[in-house]
Amino acid sequence: MPYLTSTGPVLSAPGADRLGFGVPGYAHPLVAPVEWAELTRPGTPLHWAVLNVAGGGPGIQPDPHCLEAAGRLNNVGMRVLGHLDLAHGARPFAELVTDAQRYLDWYRVRGFLLDRCPVDRADLPGVRRLTATLDAVLDGGHLVLGQGTHPYQGYAEVADQLVTFSGAWSDYRWSQVAEWTANHPPERFVHFVHGVPRTHLEEAMRIARWQGAGTIFFTDRTGRTGAFDSLPGYWDEIVSRIGPGVSE
């Protein structure tokens, strides 16, 4: 399975000069209504947004507020991903598949972010089994492996995208890209960076392009937890700099 095919919106204009947003998961729609509403604004360069209902999964019953938020994005053709926490390989396969099915049944997601995904070669067969199963259940959805660092290169063959950086600006500005990533186009890689000052926004975008990442989320919010829960203070500016990034 060299690549997993996708339905719905696709990344447009492949190349290192075209960036778009992958939203790691805003806070609950009751807490962050403006954030969720902004994603449906015409012209927002959104590749996908992650719906995390209950701290790493879909919860035990449908949440009407999350259902409404996901529905609005689905209705305008935006891709919503469910959040599955792999706990670095510790969660049982059956439990993950059950959570995935709930996301599909309740929120009509078009794919999944597999957060805290393993990175080592020894764990690749287990991840391959899971992504193959999810791909079959989705009937051609979008899968993102949320490692947050460069994994063993074989992981690039079992999902549509890899999150190869997730962390602070102080680390990102000195980060290095793995050589094997040069064998893949930019739309295969995602960078999440928090604590990016407005004055360094252009530099951060330049690093993403140099390192071959096509999907990003930069924010001036800081902290290991909660940094991605709300809009960056410079949201309008970064939207205007990137421009439209999704095509039907």
Side-chain angles (χ1 to χ4, degrees):
M1 185 170 54
Y3 292 98
L4 298 178
T5 58
S6 301
T7 59
V10 296
L11 306 187
S12 63
D17 60 339
R18 174 55 59 93
L19 298 173
F21 297 127
V23 178
Y26 286 139
H28 190 278
L30 277 179
V31 179
V34 173
E35 281 76 0
W36 287 99
E38 275 294 309
L39 297 181
T40 62
R41 191 209 302 186
T44 301
L46 181 68
H47 290 168
W48 41 260
V50 175
L51 182 65
N52 185 356
V53 179
I60 59 175
Q61 62 185 10
D63 182 313
H65 304 289
C66 291
L67 182 61
E68 182 179 4
R72 287 175 179 169
L73 287 171
N74 283 324
N75 289 340
V76 296
M78 296 298 186
R79 184 187 283 133
V80 180
L81 306 183
H83 182 279
L84 296 176
D85 185 357
L86 272 60
H88 306 296
R91 290 192 65 197
F93 172 84
E95 185 177 294
L96 290 164
V97 173
T98 296
D99 278 359
Q101 192 62 59
R102 286 176 175 171
Y103 267 119
L104 287 166
D105 293 343
W106 297 343
Y107 304 108
R108 294 171 51 210
V109 298
R110 295 184 178 180
F112 296 99
L113 170 68
L114 280 59
D115 201 11
R116 295 203 294 169
C117 182
V119 300
D120 295 330
R121 183 174 185 173
D123 294 307
L124 178 57
V127 175
R128 181 185 287 114
R129 179 192 178 201
L130 177 60
T131 58
T133 301
L134 294 177
D135 188 46
V137 171
L138 287 164
D139 191 23
H142 192 80
L143 298 180
V144 182
L145 303 185
Q147 285 114 340
T149 188
H150 289 93
Y152 170 68
Q153 60 183 313
Y155 283 92
E157 306 303 325
V158 302
D160 296 284
Q161 292 185 295
L162 308 180
V163 181
T164 52
F165 186 92
S166 181
W169 165 244
S170 56
D171 296 322
Y172 188 62
R173 66 186 310 187
W174 307 114
S175 63
Q176 299 290 325
V177 65
E179 291 184 3
W180 61 262
T181 62
N183 297 323
H184 302 276
E187 56 262 36
R188 304 300 307 286
F189 302 107
V190 183
H191 291 173
F192 298 148
V193 190
H194 60 78
V196 182
R198 182 188 296 270
T199 53
H200 290 278
L201 186 55
E202 186 60 41
E203 181 185 355
M205 294 171 65
R206 191 161 57 244
I207 291 171
R209 292 185 174 107
W210 283 344
Q211 294 196 4
T215 301
I216 62 168
F217 192 84
F218 296 158
T219 181
D220 50 354
R221 314 300 182 189
T222 59
R224 289 184 175 272
T225 60
F228 301 116
D229 287 354
S230 58
L231 286 173
Y234 41 65
W235 175 252
D236 288 341
E237 180 178 347
I238 193 172
V239 168
S240 65
R241 287 193 185 200
I242 294 177
V246 174
S247 64
E248 295 294 333

